[in-house]
Amino acid sequence: MYQRILVANRGEIALRIIRACRELGIETVAIFSEADRGAQYLELADEAFCVGPPKPVDSYLRIANVISAAEVGNVQAIHPGYGFLAENAHFNEVCRSCKIDFIGPTPEAMAKLGDKNSARELARQAKVPVVPGSAGLVTSIEEARQFAHEVDFPVLIKAVACGGGKGMRVAANDLALQSALQQARSEAEAAFGNGAVYLEKYIEQPRHVEVQVLADLHGNVVHLWERDCSVQRRHQKLIEESPSQSITPETRQLMCEAAVRMISEAEYTNAATVEFIVDRDGNFYFIEVNARIQVEHPVTEMVTGIDLIKQQILIAGGQPLPFQQEDIPQRGVAIECRINAEDPKKNFQPSPGKIERLIVPGGFGVRFDSHVHSGYFVPPYYDSMIGKLIVHGATRDEAIAIMQRALLELRVEGIKNTSALHREILSHSAFVEGRVDTTFVERTFT
Ligand code: ADP
């Protein structure tokens, strides 16, 4: 097993990985930008190196600097977390050529699944249902029109590289199609340097349900059940839970098996999430694979009792999975609320600044994954998530009650945050009854 790992990330996920390594007896090397210098969680790593100025392109995304830190830190492996370089196949390849293990899939498997268009092709091969869509890339407005008339409006224009809700546009008619096509292309070109797009039928008021998969280097592939992430705003997840309220036990079985088939077909290893949307009739369709650990992984950990970060490290180190499919439970109900430094009353505008006082909730069934503390300064350069509040209850009603109680206990003074909005969502009848789709938050709270 590894003696030393570099954590190529910041904030809560960096802390999460440092903790898992410590428990495994592995030393950690952290990296930080000038904006994160002095952050408390860095003290928990065995060593920490500055990789550049505050902007991500100058530090956390700067491959040469991250690799230098790994070389000087003398590590055997790099854990990329999520975001930043986590799904960068080039970085993955650079790690390989420097003889440093990348804790994740091979660059080949990552490239195959990272491009949404080729991932759709792979899903078709694995006999996994895919959203009706164009056969391949769409390069002209004529092609787009033809497809839209075949499947009927509304359609969704999606960039092959889209992420975080960027590079996606809905078009309801011919007139809207042209500008939507242009907008999706230019947004994706600016954000990801790749303007290639394809078309999908827009599924109205869908649920978002995804399956967690683990695959080792010995051909074992298992699923760890599903997470429902239908509570979203602008295609960004706000609340996640497991099990999903949106599917029947039969659908759950079919969906989990489909996810395993797809990951096996891709000869993919390590952790992956296979994402689906579910239409109003309960049909599910593949939308994408995330070739990394996800923000919402704790809800799966709470219902299965399996530490996903440790499993990622053990898998990369060559260990076979210590369990089989039938040993993986889905026990009770877990819910996660993302606590973002944003002002829900001002269109979710980011609210960086000093946290004057922080009171962290506790008690039975409560977990708070966060790197922040009283006196912490939330820098304006990064994602606005400052913590994840996760609860676990025997039933869904109990989990909701624990979350409501924990949200009341949580105090973040000095900056705006999303906790009050979460309390409203959790007490809304549609959420309590498990009837929310991905448009619920925007229809109800904005
Ligand atoms: P990203 O990589 O930006 O997260 P995804 O493909 O995962 O993009 O889609 C994000 C969200 O967009 C989904 O959770 C869902 O709410 C919505 N979405 C994606 N595809 C469709 C579709 N064909 N019809 C309706 N909504 C969709």
Side-chain angles (χ1 to χ4, degrees):
M1 202 14 76
Y2 306 121
Q3 274 104 48
R4 227 165 139 81
I5 287 177
L6 179 110
V7 183
N9 215 299
R10 65 175 299 282
E12 76 85 20
I13 193 64
L15 174 55
R16 171 76 186 85
I17 299 164
I18 292 169
R19 284 174 169 158
C21 287
R22 166 95 37 195
E23 291 171 23
L24 288 171
I26 299 171
E27 291 180 2
T28 47
V29 176
I31 58 170
F32 59 93
S33 71
E34 280 161 21
D36 286 328
R37 187 186 295 280
Q40 235 174 50
Y41 68 90
L42 295 170
E43 293 169 22
L44 298 175
D46 294 279
E47 209 173 349
F49 293 108
C50 182
V51 286
K55 282 199 196 140
V57 284
D58 300 324
S59 50
Y60 296 107
L61 289 172
R62 185 149 285 207
I63 293 177
N65 297 11
V66 176
I67 294 288
S68 303
E71 301 266 345
V72 177
N74 199 22
V75 302
Q76 293 101 36
I78 295 184
H79 195 307
Y82 52 69
F84 297 127
L85 297 169
E87 286 185 281
N88 185 318
H90 170 62
F91 174 65
N92 192 337
E93 239 169 67
V94 172
C95 290
R96 181 156 68 187
S97 59
C98 295
K99 304 214 168 8
I100 300 169
D101 282 1
F102 178 87
I103 300 176
T106 61
E108 292 75 23
M110 178 177 270
K112 217 182 311 177
L113 291 176
D115 174 308
K116 295 194 186 207
N117 193 42
S118 66
R120 279 164 62 81
E121 193 43 51
L122 213 112
R124 289 190 196 101
Q125 280 168 25
K127 307 228 174 334
V128 172
V130 196
V131 186
S134 51
L137 300 180
V138 166
T139 49
S140 68
I141 179 71
E142 289 74 32
E143 267 179 273
R145 263 200 206 115
Q146 195 188 341
F147 169 78
H149 284 275
E150 269 165 36
V151 298
D152 254 352
F153 284 105
V155 294
L156 188 64
I157 297 122
K158 261 191 190 178
V160 292
C162 80
K166 282 210 179 85
M168 244 170 18
R169 284 286 183 287
V170 185
N173 52 46
D174 267 331
L175 197 65
L177 190 61
Q178 182 141 20
S179 60
L181 190 65
Q182 267 158 9
Q183 282 168 359
R185 264 194 198 143
S186 51
E187 195 172 85
E189 184 64 52
F192 314 105
N194 181 355
V197 297
Y198 63 96
L199 257 65
E200 262 178 22
K201 170 88 184 145
Y202 180 70
I203 309 288
E204 290 181 76
Q205 304 199 340
R207 324 283 182 111
H208 174 115
V209 185
E210 58 187 34
V211 178
Q212 177 69 56
V213 179
L214 283 177
D216 67 17
L217 308 180
H218 309 281
N220 304 304
V221 185
V222 296
H223 69 77
L224 289 88
W225 308 104
E226 83 285 5
R227 298 183 284 258
D228 192 309
C229 315
S230 300
V231 180
Q232 307 183 345
R233 178 185 165 268
R234 297 201 177 158
H235 306 306
Q236 300 265 38
K237 298 162 188 168
L238 291 174
I239 299 179
E240 303 94 351
E241 63 180 288
S242 184
S244 167
Q245 298 295 300
S246 316
I247 52 173
T248 61
E250 294 74 44
T251 304
R252 168 173 301 116
Q253 206 55 43
L254 290 173
M255 192 185 263
C256 289
E257 285 166 11
V260 166
R261 267 204 315 282
M262 175 134 189
I263 292 305
S264 306
E265 177 86 24
E267 294 177 13
Y268 181 102
T269 50
N270 217 282
T273 298
V274 185
E275 297 192 331
F276 299 94
I277 48 176
V278 179
D279 71 13
R280 282 181 287 200
D281 301 321
N283 302 306
F284 67 89
Y285 306 96
F286 165 77
I287 49 172
E288 70 162 340
V289 172
N290 283 316
R292 54 171 165 81
I293 195 73
Q294 282 190 285
V295 172
E296 59 272 24
H297 75 272
V299 297
T300 297
E301 296 183 324
M302 303 314 279
V303 294
T304 60
I306 293 169
D307 183 321
L308 286 166
I309 304 288
K310 281 187 192 163
Q311 286 308 322
Q312 284 196 288
I313 296 168
L314 296 171
I315 288 172
Q319 307 253 338
L321 287 173
F323 38 69
Q324 291 180 338
Q325 189 63 66
E326 51 275 21
D327 306 327
I328 304 171
Q330 191 177 34
R331 197 177 294 130
V333 174
I335 305 177
E336 171 181 280
C337 287
R338 297 190 188 196
I339 310 299
N340 294 343
E342 290 170 359
D343 188 353
K345 294 212 171 73
K346 288 198 180 137
N347 201 26
F348 293 81
Q349 168 183 311
S351 177
K354 188 175 172 193
I355 299 178
E356 297 294 345
R357 194 161 82 122
L358 177 76
I359 300 177
V360 172
F364 192 71
V366 177
R367 164 175 172 185
F368 189 56
D369 276 21
S370 171
H371 61 295
V372 308
H373 49 83
S374 295
Y376 178 85
F377 188 90
V378 180
Y381 308 100
Y382 314 110
D383 189 90
S384 59
M385 195 178 75
I386 52 169
K388 308 186 299 205
L389 184 54
I390 307 116
V391 302
H392 187 226
T395 62
R396 189 161 186 270
D397 285 348
E398 187 183 44
I400 293 175
I402 299 174
M403 183 61 93
Q404 287 283 20
R405 185 273 289 170
L407 284 165
L408 265 178
E409 278 179 29
L410 174 68
R411 296 276 176 81
V412 189
E413 291 171 13
I415 57 165
K416 302 278 189 249
N417 74 87
T418 48
S419 69
L421 173 71
H422 284 306
R423 285 176 44 213
E424 280 187 58
I425 296 174
L426 264 90
S427 48
H428 195 284
S429 57
F431 183 84
V432 173
E433 290 158 23
R435 291 188 284 106
V436 300
D437 62 68
T438 60
T439 65
F440 161 73
V441 172
E442 273 151 279
R443 276 188 289 115
T444 318
F445 296 98
T446 49

